[in-house]
């Protein structure tokens, strides 16, 4: 698809100023996405600092979750999804802070009345959002919004 004049292409390429850490944060984010798509909470949790983590997901009305709370939430939520696909719209920041705009598509394993759905019966859903992440020197997330 051709780009319109002046339109910027989305994705892992920086829009505007390119920080010196850009390639570093892109590689880290790609590893983080693969962990999410694996469906294994342990792989996702490898990115979370076990002592300092303060995790919030305002869309789910969850704020200030600890490491163990987040692991439980991820385990629960990943079992309810089919075909999780995460795409980066933009990624900005540096080694210790990133703003990640994303699009997620998936299918819910349960219908509106709580009935179990087979993968073929589930309707695809698309969500868009932006996650702010603060990282420590060990590439662990210490704060997430």
């Amino acid at each position: 698809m051709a780009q319109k004049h002046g339109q910027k292409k989305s994705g892992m390429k920086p829009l505007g100023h390119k920080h010196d850490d850009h390639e570093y944060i892109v590689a880290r984010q790609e590893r983080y996405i693969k962990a999410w798509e694996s469906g294994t909470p342990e792989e996702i949790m490898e990115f979370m600092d076990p002592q300092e983590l303060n995790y919030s997901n305002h869309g789910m009305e969850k704020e200030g979750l600890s490491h163990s709370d987040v692991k439980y939430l991820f385990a629960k939520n990943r079992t309810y999804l089919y075909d999780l696909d995460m795409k980066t719209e933009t990624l900005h920041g540096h080694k210790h802070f990133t703003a990640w705009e994303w699009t997620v598509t998936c299918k819910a394993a349960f219908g509106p009345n709580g009935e179990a759905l087979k993968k073929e019966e589930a309707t695809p859903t698309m969500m868009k959002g932006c996650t702010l992440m603060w990282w420590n020197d060990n590439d662990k997330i210490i704060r997430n919004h």
Side-chain angles (χ1 to χ4, degrees):
M1 178 160 88
Q3 279 184 264
K4 294 180 182 176
H5 178 69
Q7 183 182 13
K8 301 204 183 219
K9 185 178 177 185
S10 63
M12 295 277 197
K13 292 186 178 181
L15 301 177
H17 173 72
K18 180 179 177 182
H19 195 278
D20 291 341
D21 292 341
H22 188 73
E23 281 80 17
Y24 182 89
I25 66 172
V26 165
R28 179 177 64 196
Q29 198 68 28
E30 288 172 347
R31 291 189 310 272
Y32 184 65
I33 291 169
K34 283 181 184 173
W36 266 97
E37 290 177 342
S38 77
T40 306
E42 290 76 21
E43 285 190 45
I44 301 167
M45 296 310 296
E46 285 295 315
F47 286 88
M48 312 288 166
D49 187 275
Q51 281 79 40
E52 292 186 70
L53 182 64
N54 182 309
Y55 188 95
S56 295
N57 183 324
H58 301 290
M60 296 177 68
E61 299 181 359
K62 305 289 185 190
E63 293 185 33
L65 299 180
S66 68
H67 192 270
S68 58
D69 293 335
V70 172
K71 185 175 181 179
Y72 173 78
L73 181 68
F74 287 166
K76 180 180 166 189
N77 287 340
R78 281 300 285 127
T79 60
Y80 298 151
L81 301 174
Y82 298 122
D83 298 338
L84 178 69
D85 182 47
M86 303 175 94
K87 299 285 185 225
T88 296
E89 299 300 327
T90 63
L91 180 66
H92 298 279
H94 51 81
K95 183 176 180 184
H96 293 103
F97 175 80
T98 52
W100 175 41
E101 291 180 283
W102 46 261
T103 299
V104 170
T105 55
C106 60
K107 295 179 179 180
F110 293 93
N113 300 317
E115 71 277 14
L117 298 175
K118 294 180 183 174
K119 185 176 176 178
E120 303 77 38
E121 301 170 328
T123 304
T125 301
M126 182 178 71
M127 298 172 278
K128 290 183 172 277
C130 181
T131 302
L132 306 177
M133 294 180 275
W134 288 259
W135 301 80
N136 66 17
D137 286 333
N138 298 318
D139 278 348
K140 303 290 184 192
I141 297 170
I142 55 174
R143 190 169 186 87
N144 185 92
H145 289 279

